[in-house]
Amino acid sequence: ISSGVFKIQLLSIFNRKGEMVFQNGSFKPNDKTKGWDGRYKGQIADTGNYVYTMEIICNNNNSLSFSGNILLLK
C-alpha cells in the first residue's frame, strides 16, 4: 500500500534479454488491475529475474524514478 504516491506515471518491466514484457502508465498506485500479471505475449512468463523501471508522481507533485529487480516464481 502506497503513501504519498498520487500516480504511477509509467511502469515498465524487461526480461533478461532486454525485451519489454510489460508497460502501463497513468494509474493509481493501489489499482491491482493495472500491474503486471506475469504474462508475456499471452503466456505465463519464464521463471527468473526481471528488471523494472517506474516513474511516479507524489502527492506534492514531485516526480521520482525507481528501478530494481523482480523475481518471478511459478
Short mmCIF file of all heavy atoms in Angstrom, two decimals:
data_model
loop_
_atom_site.label_atom_id
_atom_site.label_comp_id
_atom_site.label_asym_id
_atom_site.label_seq_id
_atom_site.Cartn_x
_atom_site.Cartn_y
_atom_site.Cartn_z
N ILE A 1 0.86 -1.17 0.00
CA ILE A 1 0.00 0.00 0.00
C ILE A 1 0.89 1.22 0.00
O ILE A 1 1.81 1.33 0.80
CB ILE A 1 -0.94 -0.01 1.21
CG1 ILE A 1 -1.88 -1.20 1.11
CG2 ILE A 1 -1.70 1.30 1.30
CD1 ILE A 1 -2.80 -1.35 2.27
N SER A 2 0.62 2.12 -0.90
CA SER A 2 1.46 3.30 -1.03
C SER A 2 0.95 4.44 -0.15
O SER A 2 -0.22 4.53 0.18
CB SER A 2 1.49 3.75 -2.48
OG SER A 2 0.20 4.17 -2.87
N SER A 3 1.86 5.30 0.21
CA SER A 3 1.53 6.50 0.96
C SER A 3 2.30 7.65 0.34
O SER A 3 3.52 7.55 0.17
CB SER A 3 1.90 6.33 2.42
OG SER A 3 1.66 7.52 3.13
N GLY A 4 1.63 8.72 -0.01
CA GLY A 4 2.30 9.85 -0.62
C GLY A 4 2.47 9.75 -2.12
O GLY A 4 3.01 10.66 -2.74
N VAL A 5 2.03 8.67 -2.72
CA VAL A 5 2.13 8.50 -4.17
C VAL A 5 0.77 8.80 -4.79
O VAL A 5 -0.23 8.18 -4.45
CB VAL A 5 2.58 7.07 -4.56
CG1 VAL A 5 2.62 6.91 -6.07
CG2 VAL A 5 3.92 6.75 -3.95
N PHE A 6 0.74 9.78 -5.67
CA PHE A 6 -0.50 10.17 -6.33
C PHE A 6 -0.81 9.29 -7.53
O PHE A 6 -1.92 8.83 -7.73
CB PHE A 6 -0.43 11.63 -6.76
CG PHE A 6 -1.57 12.07 -7.61
CD1 PHE A 6 -2.85 12.19 -7.07
CD2 PHE A 6 -1.39 12.36 -8.94
CE1 PHE A 6 -3.91 12.59 -7.86
CE2 PHE A 6 -2.45 12.76 -9.74
CZ PHE A 6 -3.72 12.88 -9.19
N LYS A 7 0.24 9.03 -8.35
CA LYS A 7 0.00 8.29 -9.60
C LYS A 7 1.28 7.60 -10.05
O LYS A 7 2.38 8.12 -9.86
CB LYS A 7 -0.45 9.29 -10.67
CG LYS A 7 -0.64 8.72 -12.04
CD LYS A 7 -1.27 9.70 -13.00
CE LYS A 7 -0.37 10.84 -13.34
NZ LYS A 7 -0.88 11.69 -14.43
N ILE A 8 1.13 6.41 -10.64
CA ILE A 8 2.23 5.75 -11.34
C ILE A 8 2.21 6.31 -12.76
O ILE A 8 1.29 6.03 -13.53
CB ILE A 8 2.07 4.21 -11.37
CG1 ILE A 8 1.85 3.63 -9.98
CG2 ILE A 8 3.27 3.56 -12.08
CD1 ILE A 8 2.97 3.81 -9.01
N GLN A 9 3.21 7.10 -13.06
CA GLN A 9 3.27 7.72 -14.39
C GLN A 9 3.62 6.70 -15.46
O GLN A 9 3.02 6.68 -16.53
CB GLN A 9 4.29 8.86 -14.38
CG GLN A 9 4.34 9.66 -15.65
CD GLN A 9 3.07 10.46 -15.88
OE1 GLN A 9 2.35 10.81 -14.96
NE2 GLN A 9 2.78 10.73 -17.14
N LEU A 10 4.59 5.81 -15.15
CA LEU A 10 4.99 4.78 -16.11
C LEU A 10 5.65 3.63 -15.37
O LEU A 10 6.52 3.84 -14.52
CB LEU A 10 5.98 5.36 -17.13
CG LEU A 10 6.40 4.43 -18.26
CD1 LEU A 10 5.20 4.06 -19.14
CD2 LEU A 10 7.48 5.07 -19.12
N LEU A 11 5.24 2.42 -15.68
CA LEU A 11 5.83 1.20 -15.14
C LEU A 11 6.22 0.32 -16.32
O LEU A 11 5.37 -0.01 -17.16
CB LEU A 11 4.84 0.45 -14.25
CG LEU A 11 5.25 -0.95 -13.79
CD1 LEU A 11 6.50 -0.90 -12.92
CD2 LEU A 11 4.10 -1.61 -13.03
N SER A 12 7.49 -0.05 -16.39
CA SER A 12 7.99 -0.91 -17.46
C SER A 12 8.74 -2.08 -16.85
O SER A 12 9.47 -1.92 -15.87
CB SER A 12 8.95 -0.14 -18.38
OG SER A 12 8.34 1.00 -18.91
N ILE A 13 8.56 -3.27 -17.43
CA ILE A 13 9.25 -4.47 -16.97
C ILE A 13 9.93 -5.13 -18.16
O ILE A 13 9.33 -5.27 -19.23
CB ILE A 13 8.26 -5.44 -16.28
CG1 ILE A 13 7.64 -4.74 -15.08
CG2 ILE A 13 8.97 -6.74 -15.87
CD1 ILE A 13 6.60 -5.54 -14.34
N PHE A 14 11.20 -5.54 -17.94
CA PHE A 14 12.03 -6.10 -19.01
C PHE A 14 12.54 -7.47 -18.59
O PHE A 14 12.84 -7.70 -17.41
CB PHE A 14 13.24 -5.20 -19.27
CG PHE A 14 12.86 -3.79 -19.64
CD1 PHE A 14 12.65 -2.84 -18.66
CD2 PHE A 14 12.70 -3.44 -20.96
CE1 PHE A 14 12.30 -1.54 -18.99
CE2 PHE A 14 12.35 -2.15 -21.32
CZ PHE A 14 12.15 -1.19 -20.33
N ASN A 15 12.68 -8.38 -19.56
CA ASN A 15 13.29 -9.68 -19.27
C ASN A 15 14.80 -9.58 -19.36
O ASN A 15 15.35 -8.51 -19.64
CB ASN A 15 12.72 -10.78 -20.19
CG ASN A 15 13.05 -10.58 -21.65
OD1 ASN A 15 13.95 -9.83 -22.02
ND2 ASN A 15 12.31 -11.26 -22.51
N ARG A 16 15.50 -10.67 -19.13
CA ARG A 16 16.97 -10.62 -19.10
C ARG A 16 17.59 -10.35 -20.46
O ARG A 16 18.75 -10.00 -20.56
CB ARG A 16 17.54 -11.90 -18.50
CG ARG A 16 17.29 -13.13 -19.33
CD ARG A 16 17.84 -14.35 -18.67
NE ARG A 16 16.90 -14.77 -17.65
CZ ARG A 16 16.72 -15.98 -17.24
NH1 ARG A 16 17.43 -16.95 -17.76
NH2 ARG A 16 15.84 -16.27 -16.33
N LYS A 17 16.81 -10.51 -21.53
CA LYS A 17 17.29 -10.18 -22.88
C LYS A 17 17.09 -8.70 -23.20
O LYS A 17 17.47 -8.25 -24.27
CB LYS A 17 16.53 -11.01 -23.92
CG LYS A 17 16.76 -12.50 -23.79
CD LYS A 17 15.90 -13.23 -24.80
CE LYS A 17 15.96 -14.72 -24.58
NZ LYS A 17 15.03 -15.42 -25.48
N GLY A 18 16.45 -7.98 -22.29
CA GLY A 18 16.19 -6.56 -22.51
C GLY A 18 14.89 -6.28 -23.23
O GLY A 18 14.59 -5.12 -23.54
N GLU A 19 14.10 -7.33 -23.49
CA GLU A 19 12.81 -7.14 -24.15
C GLU A 19 11.80 -6.62 -23.13
O GLU A 19 11.73 -7.12 -22.01
CB GLU A 19 12.29 -8.46 -24.71
CG GLU A 19 13.18 -9.09 -25.74
CD GLU A 19 12.75 -10.51 -26.08
OE1 GLU A 19 12.43 -11.28 -25.16
OE2 GLU A 19 12.75 -10.82 -27.28
N MET A 20 11.01 -5.62 -23.53
CA MET A 20 9.96 -5.14 -22.66
C MET A 20 8.83 -6.16 -22.63
O MET A 20 8.31 -6.54 -23.68
CB MET A 20 9.42 -3.79 -23.14
CG MET A 20 8.41 -3.20 -22.19
SD MET A 20 7.74 -1.64 -22.74
CE MET A 20 9.20 -0.68 -23.02
N VAL A 21 8.49 -6.66 -21.45
CA VAL A 21 7.43 -7.65 -21.33
C VAL A 21 6.13 -7.03 -20.82
O VAL A 21 5.08 -7.65 -20.91
CB VAL A 21 7.86 -8.84 -20.42
CG1 VAL A 21 9.05 -9.55 -21.02
CG2 VAL A 21 8.16 -8.39 -19.01
N PHE A 22 6.22 -5.81 -20.29
CA PHE A 22 5.03 -5.14 -19.77
C PHE A 22 5.28 -3.65 -19.69
O PHE A 22 6.39 -3.22 -19.37
CB PHE A 22 4.69 -5.66 -18.37
CG PHE A 22 3.51 -4.97 -17.73
CD1 PHE A 22 2.22 -5.35 -18.04
CD2 PHE A 22 3.70 -3.93 -16.84
CE1 PHE A 22 1.14 -4.70 -17.48
CE2 PHE A 22 2.63 -3.28 -16.26
CZ PHE A 22 1.34 -3.67 -16.58
N GLN A 23 4.24 -2.88 -20.00
CA GLN A 23 4.30 -1.44 -19.78
C GLN A 23 2.88 -0.92 -19.56
O GLN A 23 1.96 -1.32 -20.25
CB GLN A 23 4.95 -0.72 -20.95
CG GLN A 23 5.19 0.76 -20.66
CD GLN A 23 5.99 1.42 -21.75
OE1 GLN A 23 5.54 1.54 -22.88
NE2 GLN A 23 7.20 1.84 -21.40
N ASN A 24 2.75 -0.04 -18.59
CA ASN A 24 1.48 0.61 -18.33
C ASN A 24 1.77 1.94 -17.66
O ASN A 24 2.82 2.12 -17.05
CB ASN A 24 0.59 -0.25 -17.44
CG ASN A 24 -0.88 0.11 -17.55
OD1 ASN A 24 -1.25 1.04 -18.27
ND2 ASN A 24 -1.71 -0.60 -16.85
N GLY A 25 0.84 2.87 -17.78
CA GLY A 25 1.08 4.16 -17.18
C GLY A 25 -0.19 4.89 -16.85
O GLY A 25 -1.29 4.50 -17.24
N SER A 26 0.00 5.95 -16.08
CA SER A 26 -1.07 6.84 -15.66
C SER A 26 -2.18 6.10 -14.90
O SER A 26 -3.34 6.12 -15.30
CB SER A 26 -1.65 7.58 -16.87
OG SER A 26 -2.45 8.65 -16.44
N PHE A 27 -1.79 5.45 -13.79
CA PHE A 27 -2.78 4.75 -12.97
C PHE A 27 -2.50 4.96 -11.49
O PHE A 27 -1.40 5.33 -11.10
CB PHE A 27 -2.85 3.25 -13.32
CG PHE A 27 -1.57 2.48 -13.11
CD1 PHE A 27 -1.33 1.82 -11.91
CD2 PHE A 27 -0.63 2.38 -14.12
CE1 PHE A 27 -0.16 1.08 -11.72
CE2 PHE A 27 0.54 1.65 -13.94
CZ PHE A 27 0.77 1.00 -12.74
N LYS A 28 -3.52 4.77 -10.70
CA LYS A 28 -3.41 4.92 -9.25
C LYS A 28 -2.54 3.80 -8.69
O LYS A 28 -2.58 2.66 -9.16
CB LYS A 28 -4.79 4.88 -8.59
CG LYS A 28 -5.68 6.05 -8.97
CD LYS A 28 -5.14 7.34 -8.40
CE LYS A 28 -6.06 8.49 -8.73
NZ LYS A 28 -5.52 9.76 -8.30
N PRO A 29 -1.75 4.08 -7.65
CA PRO A 29 -0.77 3.10 -7.17
C PRO A 29 -1.34 1.83 -6.58
O PRO A 29 -0.67 0.81 -6.59
CB PRO A 29 0.02 3.88 -6.12
CG PRO A 29 -0.85 5.01 -5.73
CD PRO A 29 -1.67 5.33 -6.92
N ASN A 30 -2.55 1.83 -6.07
CA ASN A 30 -3.10 0.62 -5.45
C ASN A 30 -4.10 -0.11 -6.34
O ASN A 30 -4.84 -0.98 -5.87
CB ASN A 30 -3.75 0.97 -4.11
CG ASN A 30 -2.72 1.43 -3.10
OD1 ASN A 30 -1.62 0.89 -3.05
ND2 ASN A 30 -3.06 2.43 -2.34
N ASP A 31 -4.10 0.18 -7.62
CA ASP A 31 -5.01 -0.48 -8.57
C ASP A 31 -4.38 -1.79 -9.03
O ASP A 31 -3.53 -1.81 -9.92
CB ASP A 31 -5.30 0.44 -9.74
CG ASP A 31 -6.36 -0.10 -10.67
OD1 ASP A 31 -6.68 -1.31 -10.59
OD2 ASP A 31 -6.88 0.68 -11.48
N LYS A 32 -4.80 -2.88 -8.43
CA LYS A 32 -4.23 -4.20 -8.73
C LYS A 32 -4.49 -4.66 -10.16
O LYS A 32 -3.80 -5.53 -10.67
CB LYS A 32 -4.76 -5.24 -7.76
CG LYS A 32 -4.32 -5.01 -6.34
CD LYS A 32 -4.91 -6.04 -5.40
CE LYS A 32 -4.52 -5.73 -3.97
NZ LYS A 32 -5.09 -6.69 -3.03
N THR A 33 -5.45 -4.07 -10.84
CA THR A 33 -5.77 -4.47 -12.21
C THR A 33 -4.81 -3.87 -13.22
O THR A 33 -4.82 -4.25 -14.38
CB THR A 33 -7.21 -4.06 -12.59
OG1 THR A 33 -7.30 -2.62 -12.62
CG2 THR A 33 -8.22 -4.61 -11.61
N LYS A 34 -3.97 -2.93 -12.81
CA LYS A 34 -3.07 -2.24 -13.74
C LYS A 34 -1.64 -2.77 -13.71
O LYS A 34 -0.84 -2.41 -14.56
CB LYS A 34 -3.05 -0.74 -13.43
CG LYS A 34 -4.40 -0.07 -13.50
CD LYS A 34 -4.95 -0.11 -14.89
CE LYS A 34 -6.27 0.64 -14.93
NZ LYS A 34 -6.88 0.65 -16.24
N GLY A 35 -1.29 -3.61 -12.74
CA GLY A 35 0.06 -4.13 -12.63
C GLY A 35 0.30 -5.33 -13.53
O GLY A 35 -0.61 -5.82 -14.22
N TRP A 36 1.53 -5.81 -13.54
CA TRP A 36 1.91 -6.95 -14.37
C TRP A 36 1.38 -8.24 -13.76
O TRP A 36 1.52 -8.49 -12.57
CB TRP A 36 3.44 -7.00 -14.46
CG TRP A 36 3.96 -8.07 -15.38
CD1 TRP A 36 3.48 -8.42 -16.60
CD2 TRP A 36 5.11 -8.88 -15.17
NE1 TRP A 36 4.25 -9.40 -17.17
CE2 TRP A 36 5.27 -9.71 -16.30
CE3 TRP A 36 6.03 -9.01 -14.14
CZ2 TRP A 36 6.29 -10.63 -16.42
CZ3 TRP A 36 7.06 -9.92 -14.28
CH2 TRP A 36 7.18 -10.72 -15.41
N ASP A 37 0.79 -9.09 -14.58
CA ASP A 37 0.24 -10.36 -14.11
C ASP A 37 1.18 -11.54 -14.37
O ASP A 37 0.81 -12.69 -14.21
CB ASP A 37 -1.13 -10.64 -14.74
CG ASP A 37 -1.07 -10.86 -16.24
OD1 ASP A 37 0.02 -10.79 -16.83
OD2 ASP A 37 -2.14 -11.12 -16.84
N GLY A 38 2.43 -11.26 -14.78
CA GLY A 38 3.41 -12.32 -15.01
C GLY A 38 3.31 -12.97 -16.37
O GLY A 38 3.89 -14.02 -16.61
N ARG A 39 2.60 -12.34 -17.29
CA ARG A 39 2.45 -12.89 -18.64
C ARG A 39 3.23 -12.07 -19.65
O ARG A 39 3.44 -10.87 -19.48
CB ARG A 39 0.98 -12.92 -19.06
CG ARG A 39 0.17 -13.86 -18.21
CD ARG A 39 -1.29 -13.89 -18.68
NE ARG A 39 -2.05 -14.78 -17.83
CZ ARG A 39 -2.17 -16.07 -18.03
NH1 ARG A 39 -1.61 -16.64 -19.07
NH2 ARG A 39 -2.87 -16.82 -17.19
N TYR A 40 3.64 -12.74 -20.72
CA TYR A 40 4.33 -12.11 -21.84
C TYR A 40 3.80 -12.74 -23.12
O TYR A 40 3.83 -13.97 -23.27
CB TYR A 40 5.83 -12.30 -21.71
CG TYR A 40 6.64 -11.71 -22.84
CD1 TYR A 40 6.46 -10.40 -23.24
CD2 TYR A 40 7.60 -12.46 -23.50
CE1 TYR A 40 7.21 -9.85 -24.26
CE2 TYR A 40 8.35 -11.93 -24.52
CZ TYR A 40 8.15 -10.62 -24.90
OH TYR A 40 8.89 -10.08 -25.92
N LYS A 41 3.28 -11.92 -23.99
CA LYS A 41 2.67 -12.35 -25.25
C LYS A 41 1.59 -13.40 -25.01
O LYS A 41 1.49 -14.40 -25.72
CB LYS A 41 3.74 -12.89 -26.22
CG LYS A 41 4.70 -11.82 -26.68
CD LYS A 41 5.69 -12.37 -27.70
CE LYS A 41 6.62 -11.28 -28.18
NZ LYS A 41 7.60 -11.79 -29.15
N GLY A 42 0.79 -13.21 -23.95
CA GLY A 42 -0.34 -14.08 -23.65
C GLY A 42 0.00 -15.36 -22.91
O GLY A 42 -0.88 -16.12 -22.56
N GLN A 43 1.27 -15.62 -22.69
CA GLN A 43 1.70 -16.84 -22.00
C GLN A 43 2.34 -16.47 -20.66
O GLN A 43 2.89 -15.39 -20.51
CB GLN A 43 2.74 -17.59 -22.85
CG GLN A 43 2.25 -17.97 -24.23
CD GLN A 43 1.14 -19.00 -24.19
OE1 GLN A 43 1.18 -19.92 -23.39
NE2 GLN A 43 0.15 -18.83 -25.04
N ILE A 44 2.30 -17.40 -19.72
CA ILE A 44 2.98 -17.17 -18.45
C ILE A 44 4.47 -17.06 -18.73
O ILE A 44 5.06 -17.90 -19.39
CB ILE A 44 2.69 -18.32 -17.45
CG1 ILE A 44 1.20 -18.32 -17.10
CG2 ILE A 44 3.51 -18.15 -16.19
CD1 ILE A 44 0.75 -19.48 -16.26
N ALA A 45 5.07 -15.98 -18.23
CA ALA A 45 6.49 -15.72 -18.48
C ALA A 45 7.37 -16.74 -17.77
O ALA A 45 6.97 -17.36 -16.79
CB ALA A 45 6.84 -14.31 -18.02
N ASP A 46 8.58 -16.89 -18.27
CA ASP A 46 9.55 -17.82 -17.68
C ASP A 46 9.91 -17.38 -16.26
O ASP A 46 9.98 -16.18 -15.96
CB ASP A 46 10.83 -17.87 -18.51
CG ASP A 46 10.61 -18.51 -19.87
OD1 ASP A 46 9.67 -19.32 -20.01
OD2 ASP A 46 11.39 -18.20 -20.78
N THR A 47 10.16 -18.35 -15.40
CA THR A 47 10.68 -18.07 -14.07
C THR A 47 12.03 -17.39 -14.21
O THR A 47 12.83 -17.74 -15.07
CB THR A 47 10.85 -19.39 -13.28
OG1 THR A 47 9.56 -19.98 -13.12
CG2 THR A 47 11.48 -19.17 -11.93
N GLY A 48 12.27 -16.41 -13.38
CA GLY A 48 13.57 -15.73 -13.42
C GLY A 48 13.49 -14.30 -12.97
O GLY A 48 12.48 -13.83 -12.46
N ASN A 49 14.60 -13.60 -13.16
CA ASN A 49 14.72 -12.20 -12.77
C ASN A 49 14.26 -11.29 -13.89
O ASN A 49 14.57 -11.53 -15.06
CB ASN A 49 16.16 -11.86 -12.42
CG ASN A 49 16.57 -12.45 -11.10
OD1 ASN A 49 15.89 -12.27 -10.10
ND2 ASN A 49 17.69 -13.15 -11.09
N TYR A 50 13.56 -10.25 -13.51
CA TYR A 50 13.10 -9.21 -14.43
C TYR A 50 13.49 -7.87 -13.82
O TYR A 50 13.65 -7.74 -12.61
CB TYR A 50 11.59 -9.29 -14.61
CG TYR A 50 11.17 -10.54 -15.37
CD1 TYR A 50 11.08 -11.77 -14.72
CD2 TYR A 50 10.91 -10.50 -16.72
CE1 TYR A 50 10.73 -12.92 -15.41
CE2 TYR A 50 10.55 -11.63 -17.42
CZ TYR A 50 10.46 -12.84 -16.76
OH TYR A 50 10.13 -13.98 -17.45
N VAL A 51 13.67 -6.89 -14.68
CA VAL A 51 14.04 -5.54 -14.25
C VAL A 51 12.83 -4.63 -14.43
O VAL A 51 12.14 -4.72 -15.45
CB VAL A 51 15.24 -5.01 -15.07
CG1 VAL A 51 15.53 -3.57 -14.75
CG2 VAL A 51 16.46 -5.88 -14.83
N TYR A 52 12.59 -3.79 -13.44
CA TYR A 52 11.52 -2.81 -13.59
C TYR A 52 12.08 -1.40 -13.52
O TYR A 52 13.10 -1.14 -12.88
CB TYR A 52 10.43 -2.99 -12.53
CG TYR A 52 10.82 -2.56 -11.14
CD1 TYR A 52 10.65 -1.24 -10.74
CD2 TYR A 52 11.37 -3.46 -10.24
CE1 TYR A 52 11.02 -0.84 -9.46
CE2 TYR A 52 11.74 -3.07 -8.96
CZ TYR A 52 11.56 -1.75 -8.59
OH TYR A 52 11.93 -1.35 -7.33
N THR A 53 11.41 -0.48 -14.21
CA THR A 53 11.63 0.95 -14.05
C THR A 53 10.28 1.57 -13.80
O THR A 53 9.26 1.12 -14.36
CB THR A 53 12.29 1.59 -15.29
OG1 THR A 53 11.44 1.42 -16.42
CG2 THR A 53 13.65 0.98 -15.58
N MET A 54 10.25 2.56 -12.94
CA MET A 54 8.98 3.17 -12.56
C MET A 54 9.17 4.66 -12.36
O MET A 54 10.14 5.09 -11.73
CB MET A 54 8.47 2.52 -11.27
CG MET A 54 7.16 3.04 -10.82
SD MET A 54 6.43 2.25 -9.33
CE MET A 54 7.61 1.09 -8.78
N GLU A 55 8.26 5.43 -12.91
CA GLU A 55 8.21 6.87 -12.67
C GLU A 55 6.91 7.14 -11.92
O GLU A 55 5.84 6.69 -12.36
CB GLU A 55 8.22 7.64 -13.98
CG GLU A 55 9.47 7.42 -14.79
CD GLU A 55 9.39 8.04 -16.17
OE1 GLU A 55 8.65 9.03 -16.35
OE2 GLU A 55 10.05 7.52 -17.07
N ILE A 56 7.01 7.83 -10.81
CA ILE A 56 5.82 8.12 -10.01
C ILE A 56 5.66 9.63 -9.84
O ILE A 56 6.63 10.39 -9.92
CB ILE A 56 5.86 7.44 -8.63
CG1 ILE A 56 6.99 8.01 -7.77
CG2 ILE A 56 5.99 5.93 -8.76
CD1 ILE A 56 6.91 7.62 -6.31
N ILE A 57 4.43 10.03 -9.58
CA ILE A 57 4.12 11.40 -9.22
C ILE A 57 3.63 11.37 -7.77
O ILE A 57 2.69 10.64 -7.45
CB ILE A 57 3.02 12.00 -10.12
CG1 ILE A 57 3.39 11.88 -11.60
CG2 ILE A 57 2.72 13.45 -9.72
CD1 ILE A 57 4.60 12.68 -12.02
N CYS A 58 4.28 12.15 -6.92
CA CYS A 58 3.92 12.19 -5.50
C CYS A 58 2.75 13.15 -5.27
O CYS A 58 2.41 13.96 -6.14
CB CYS A 58 5.11 12.66 -4.67
SG CYS A 58 6.55 11.58 -4.79
N ASN A 59 2.16 13.04 -4.08
CA ASN A 59 1.07 13.93 -3.72
C ASN A 59 1.47 15.40 -3.77
O ASN A 59 0.64 16.28 -4.00
CB ASN A 59 0.53 13.59 -2.33
CG ASN A 59 -0.26 12.30 -2.33
OD1 ASN A 59 -0.75 11.86 -3.36
ND2 ASN A 59 -0.36 11.67 -1.18
N ASN A 60 2.76 15.70 -3.55
CA ASN A 60 3.24 17.08 -3.60
C ASN A 60 3.66 17.49 -5.01
O ASN A 60 4.31 18.51 -5.20
CB ASN A 60 4.38 17.29 -2.60
CG ASN A 60 5.60 16.44 -2.92
OD1 ASN A 60 5.65 15.75 -3.93
ND2 ASN A 60 6.57 16.47 -2.03
N ASN A 61 3.34 16.67 -6.00
CA ASN A 61 3.59 16.90 -7.42
C ASN A 61 5.05 16.70 -7.83
O ASN A 61 5.43 17.02 -8.94
CB ASN A 61 3.09 18.27 -7.88
CG ASN A 61 2.59 18.24 -9.30
OD1 ASN A 61 2.14 17.21 -9.78
ND2 ASN A 61 2.68 19.36 -9.97
N ASN A 62 5.89 16.18 -6.95
CA ASN A 62 7.26 15.82 -7.32
C ASN A 62 7.25 14.53 -8.12
O ASN A 62 6.41 13.66 -7.90
CB ASN A 62 8.14 15.62 -6.08
CG ASN A 62 8.53 16.93 -5.44
OD1 ASN A 62 8.49 17.98 -6.06
ND2 ASN A 62 8.93 16.86 -4.18
N SER A 63 8.20 14.40 -9.02
CA SER A 63 8.34 13.20 -9.84
C SER A 63 9.59 12.45 -9.37
O SER A 63 10.64 13.05 -9.18
CB SER A 63 8.47 13.60 -11.30
OG SER A 63 8.68 12.47 -12.10
N LEU A 64 9.46 11.13 -9.19
CA LEU A 64 10.58 10.29 -8.77
C LEU A 64 10.69 9.09 -9.69
O LEU A 64 9.68 8.60 -10.19
CB LEU A 64 10.39 9.81 -7.33
CG LEU A 64 10.30 10.87 -6.24
CD1 LEU A 64 9.92 10.22 -4.92
CD2 LEU A 64 11.62 11.60 -6.11
N SER A 65 11.90 8.60 -9.87
CA SER A 65 12.15 7.40 -10.68
C SER A 65 12.78 6.33 -9.82
O SER A 65 13.63 6.63 -8.97
CB SER A 65 13.07 7.72 -11.85
OG SER A 65 12.48 8.65 -12.72
N PHE A 66 12.38 5.09 -10.05
CA PHE A 66 12.91 3.93 -9.34
C PHE A 66 13.22 2.84 -10.35
O PHE A 66 12.61 2.77 -11.42
CB PHE A 66 11.89 3.37 -8.34
CG PHE A 66 11.52 4.31 -7.24
CD1 PHE A 66 10.42 5.13 -7.37
CD2 PHE A 66 12.27 4.38 -6.09
CE1 PHE A 66 10.07 6.00 -6.36
CE2 PHE A 66 11.93 5.23 -5.07
CZ PHE A 66 10.82 6.06 -5.20
N SER A 67 14.13 1.95 -9.98
CA SER A 67 14.38 0.75 -10.77
C SER A 67 14.85 -0.33 -9.81
O SER A 67 15.32 -0.06 -8.72
CB SER A 67 15.42 1.00 -11.85
OG SER A 67 16.66 1.35 -11.29
N GLY A 68 14.67 -1.57 -10.25
CA GLY A 68 15.08 -2.69 -9.41
C GLY A 68 14.80 -4.00 -10.11
O GLY A 68 14.53 -4.04 -11.31
N ASN A 69 14.85 -5.06 -9.32
CA ASN A 69 14.65 -6.42 -9.84
C ASN A 69 13.40 -7.04 -9.26
O ASN A 69 13.02 -6.76 -8.11
CB ASN A 69 15.84 -7.31 -9.48
CG ASN A 69 17.11 -6.82 -10.13
OD1 ASN A 69 17.16 -6.66 -11.33
ND2 ASN A 69 18.12 -6.56 -9.33
N ILE A 70 12.80 -7.91 -10.04
CA ILE A 70 11.65 -8.72 -9.62
C ILE A 70 12.03 -10.17 -9.89
O ILE A 70 12.54 -10.48 -10.97
CB ILE A 70 10.40 -8.38 -10.43
CG1 ILE A 70 10.00 -6.93 -10.27
CG2 ILE A 70 9.25 -9.31 -10.07
CD1 ILE A 70 8.94 -6.49 -11.23
N LEU A 71 11.77 -11.05 -8.95
CA LEU A 71 11.96 -12.48 -9.17
C LEU A 71 10.60 -13.10 -9.39
O LEU A 71 9.75 -13.09 -8.51
CB LEU A 71 12.66 -13.14 -7.98
CG LEU A 71 12.86 -14.64 -8.09
CD1 LEU A 71 13.69 -15.01 -9.31
CD2 LEU A 71 13.51 -15.18 -6.81
N LEU A 72 10.37 -13.61 -10.59
CA LEU A 72 9.10 -14.25 -10.93
C LEU A 72 9.23 -15.74 -10.69
O LEU A 72 10.11 -16.40 -11.25
CB LEU A 72 8.75 -13.98 -12.40
CG LEU A 72 7.44 -14.58 -12.89
CD1 LEU A 72 6.24 -13.96 -12.14
CD2 LEU A 72 7.29 -14.39 -14.38
N LEU A 73 8.37 -16.27 -9.82
CA LEU A 73 8.35 -17.69 -9.49
C LEU A 73 7.03 -18.29 -9.97
O LEU A 73 6.00 -17.64 -9.95
CB LEU A 73 8.49 -17.90 -7.98
CG LEU A 73 9.75 -17.32 -7.35
CD1 LEU A 73 9.67 -17.46 -5.84
CD2 LEU A 73 10.97 -18.03 -7.88
N LYS A 74 7.07 -19.53 -10.36
CA LYS A 74 5.85 -20.24 -10.77
C LYS A 74 5.43 -21.18 -9.69
O LYS A 74 6.18 -21.71 -8.95
CB LYS A 74 6.08 -21.01 -12.05
CG LYS A 74 6.36 -20.12 -13.22
CD LYS A 74 6.51 -20.96 -14.46
CE LYS A 74 6.94 -20.11 -15.63
NZ LYS A 74 7.13 -20.87 -16.82
#
